[in-house]
Amino acid sequence: MIKVSFAASRPEGAYALAIPLRSEDNVAERLPGLEAGARNLAVRAAEAQRFEREAGGVAEAFVEDGGQVRRLLLVGLGAQRDDPALYEKAGGALTARLLTSGETKLVVDLTGTDLRADEAARLAFGAAARSWRYDQYRTKLNRKQKPTLEEVVIVGAADSEWGSKAALLEGLDLTRALVTEPANIVYPESFVERARAAMDGLGVEFEVLDEKQMAALGMGALLGVGQGSVRPPRLLAMRWNGGKTGAAPVVFIGKGMTFDTGGISIKPALGMESMKWDMGGAGAVTGLMKAVATRKAKVNVVAVCALAENMPDGNAQRPGDVVTSMSGQTIEVINTDAEGRLVLADAMTWAQRQYKPEVMVDLATLTGAMVISLGHEYAGMFANDDALAGKLEAAGKASGDKLWRMPMNDEYNKIMDSQIADMKNSASREGGSITAACFLGRFVEEGVKWAHLDIAGMAWSDKAGSLYDKGATGYGVALLDRYLADNHEG
Ligand code: BES
Ligand code: MN
Ligand code: ZN
């Protein structure tokens, strides 16, 4: 990811210069410090590229500036001022253009604009977030494929809001790396070690349960999923105590299926490799932890990761098996591919007994049906509390990680009743995301405000977006960071 800094004036030497423009701005008047000839050229170039200062639009020109040739980028901010995603998009558009362009430094000159400190920070955040790549295993990139852009300098704006965004970037970086890593690298035990290394020195408390400890606690649902793999499952809890001593923490729980073959109900080969990111929920809550601890948020937060690998081997659980969860409720495993809800069930019970939260939010790449319902624009939100749903939805709007509320009721819930046990883990495909949520709802304890976010369509993207390249999006980190900041801090 590129470095971000703030400066009072433009630096010396070589760099690409970017200037943001609103719809109503006149290009010629908004080019501070450029000579007349350069301004003329920029105006003509903008016209030639049909640049209308539309949000996220970019026009490019090479102009003479202080005796050297400089790449000038005009970036549009559009007509609307209050779209929170606007400034991030503009920053992202710039780095998307420049990442492999040969330029090493980008200077965004905000002198004379009306951007507030938070808007400038958002622009810088967007620029950095969009520059993220994971080239660890690409040993043969040629010169032109390699990123060249190393830093962005924001000129003419206060850096007072930058600290919290920089912390958020750290979290995003961690989430994306965890989600991108293949399952032979990131599996339950190595996930824990990665999280530990990433949280080093930040004051985050770790608790890790191995399979023996989980067995002693009666976590038959989680253990049943992990038992077909040679890589043992783990339950990871990370705690940040930034709030009042003794105040109940906000608990986040992430589905951490480091690989989901489907188990004995095995998935088809086509596209199965994508199930390496079936730990997107765990990745998100881990990145959130990093962000929250880095910015020393004044709130108590716990992130719990239910880590397992769903594999078919001689010891794997079978369709029809009945397992007993930590809550005491029994589950008939109709389909071993409906494993996320099984590991979450025990993680939820454990977290509620351990931390007595008022609010518990789980994130999970839980159902393919979610992707059918909402595609890749919104994650599905299920909640037992309207106020919590409203707050999460607002955080979704403000952060750009959008949420759409889905229904739950007794009729849907009844579908999960089993003939032989208290419930089954899978029913017909109709309303599959909703019945999955109802299943999870059976593990929510009295008085706990709970929301379930099905992020199956959001954790990964097959095409580049305004803030990410193809691949891991980091969905959820900005959302939860924002939710905490707006509702639980100060
Ligand atoms: N991890 C998958 C869901 C998923 C699918 C996430 C596609 C991201 C993209 C989950 O464990 C799963 O397999 N769900 C099943 C549930 C079914 C068997 C009831 C599904 O969605 O088909
Ligand atoms: Mn599955
Ligand atoms: Zn899964």
Side-chain angles (χ1 to χ4, degrees):
M1 205 141 48
I2 57 173
K3 277 191 307 191
V4 174
S5 61
F6 282 67
S9 57
R10 280 197 227 159
E12 301 278 298
Y15 55 83
L17 173 64
I19 299 193
L21 298 159
R22 297 194 192 274
S23 291
E24 70 267 23
D25 285 337
N26 180 311
V27 176
E29 292 166 5
R30 283 282 308 110
L31 301 175
L34 287 190
E35 296 137 30
R39 280 213 299 270
N40 262 334
L41 213 58
V43 170
R44 296 291 303 277
E47 278 168 9
Q49 289 164 80
R50 295 188 289 182
F51 174 67
E52 284 161 357
R53 300 165 303 284
E54 67 278 12
V58 179
E60 210 172 311
F62 284 86
V63 299
E64 199 180 322
D65 180 34
Q68 46 186 320
V69 176
R70 175 149 355 264
R71 190 192 305 245
L72 175 69
L73 298 171
L74 305 174
V75 58
L77 295 176
Q80 228 186 315
R81 275 159 202 266
D82 51 359
D83 172 8
L86 181 64
Y87 304 97
E88 282 155 10
K89 266 191 200 144
L94 290 172
T95 27
R97 274 279 176 128
L98 293 182
L99 196 57
T100 58
S101 65
E103 302 286 350
T104 56
K105 188 192 277 193
L106 164 66
V107 173
V108 183
D109 196 344
L110 301 178
T111 311
T113 65
D114 57 0
L115 262 67
R116 300 185 310 255
D118 61 317
E119 293 164 344
R122 278 176 169 265
L123 191 147
F125 174 82
R130 181 62 183 85
S131 76
W132 191 92
R133 319 216 322 186
Y134 206 69
D135 290 337
Q136 188 89 8
Y137 305 118
R138 310 178 76 184
T139 67
K140 297 204 149 110
L141 287 180
N142 68 36
R143 207 169 60 89
K144 289 191 172 180
Q145 291 172 317
K146 280 193 185 141
T148 54
L149 194 66
E150 290 165 1
E151 62 170 316
V152 55
V153 183
I154 308 290
V155 170
D159 67 356
S160 52
E161 300 295 318
W162 175 242
S164 60
K165 291 288 179 200
L168 182 55
L169 274 177
E170 299 254 337
L172 193 70
D173 176 32
L174 174 59
T175 300
R176 287 180 180 177
L178 286 168
V179 169
T180 306
E181 286 285 17
N184 60 330
I185 305 291
V186 166
Y187 46 89
E189 288 166 291
S190 64
F191 186 108
V192 170
E193 291 324 310
R194 289 259 180 153
R196 262 192 220 285
M199 247 53 88
D200 190 40
L202 291 179
V204 174
E205 292 169 11
F206 273 68
E207 185 172 1
V208 183
L209 304 187
D210 63 19
E211 59 276 40
K212 285 199 192 75
Q213 291 163 299
M214 290 192 272
L217 288 162
M219 296 190 183
L222 193 156
L223 289 171
V225 171
Q227 76 187 31
S229 170
V230 295
R231 304 185 192 278
R234 289 289 180 267
L235 190 72
L236 163 64
M238 292 164 278
R239 181 170 187 152
W240 167 252
N241 297 310
K244 295 202 184 73
T245 347
V250 182
V251 168
F252 297 104
I253 302 188
K255 170 177 172 183
M257 207 52 52
T258 57
F259 198 79
D260 179 13
T261 64
I264 296 299
S265 314
I266 198 164
K267 289 179 181 294
L270 190 69
M272 201 204 276
E273 72 285 354
S274 68
M275 285 298 108
K276 75 170 183 180
W277 51 262
D278 204 19
M279 35 57 69
V285 303
T286 304
L288 172 75
M289 214 45 187
K290 170 111 190 184
V292 161
T294 301
R295 66 179 177 82
K296 303 203 180 330
K298 291 191 167 49
V299 57
N300 298 334
V301 191
V302 172
V304 175
C305 298
L307 301 163
E309 186 179 56
N310 190 21
M311 297 287 273
D313 85 351
N315 194 45
Q317 70 181 344
R318 293 146 292 260
D321 282 5
V322 174
V323 296
T324 303
S325 66
M326 182 183 173
S327 72
Q329 299 179 93
T330 56
I331 305 161
E332 181 188 11
V333 180
I334 295 288
N335 188 321
T336 64
D337 198 11
E339 85 298 338
R341 61 198 77 181
L342 295 171
V343 299
L344 287 171
D346 278 339
M348 286 165 66
T349 300
W350 182 80
Q352 289 169 103
R353 305 217 170 142
Q354 190 81 355
Y355 301 109
K356 308 274 180 288
E358 277 162 32
V359 176
M360 172 169 73
V361 179
D362 77 79
L363 281 80
T365 50
L366 201 65
T367 63
M370 198 71 250
V371 193
I372 304 299
S373 301
L374 297 179
H376 305 286
E377 280 298 308
Y378 290 82
M381 167 173 56
F382 303 81
N384 67 0
D385 183 86
D386 292 345
L388 175 60
K391 288 169 185 172
L392 284 166
E393 194 184 355
K397 278 196 184 128
S399 68
D401 286 346
K402 299 194 294 294
L403 289 171
W404 194 265
R405 191 168 180 188
M406 302 283 291
M408 293 172 77
N409 68 21
D410 291 345
E411 302 307 315
Y412 287 120
N413 186 38
K414 246 194 321 218
I415 297 173
M416 302 311 279
D417 287 345
S418 156
Q419 285 287 314
I420 189 177
D422 297 332
M423 68 194 88
K424 52 189 175 191
N425 78 328
S426 156
S428 71
R429 294 168 45 171
E430 286 101 332
S433 309
I434 306 172
T435 50
C438 290
F439 179 97
L440 294 178
R442 294 181 180 218
F443 296 86
V444 177
E445 301 190 347
E446 195 60 36
V448 177
K449 293 174 187 148
W450 162 71
H452 155 58
L453 312 182
D454 192 334
I455 63 169
M458 306 306 289
W460 189 268
S461 179
D462 290 334
K463 53 184 203 301
S466 53
L467 297 186
Y468 47 80
D469 203 343
K470 264 195 276 237
T473 62
Y475 182 95
V477 184
L479 168 74
L480 300 179
D481 186 68
R482 184 69 194 222
Y483 164 76
L484 287 173
D486 288 350
N487 299 287
H488 295 277
E489 296 175 37

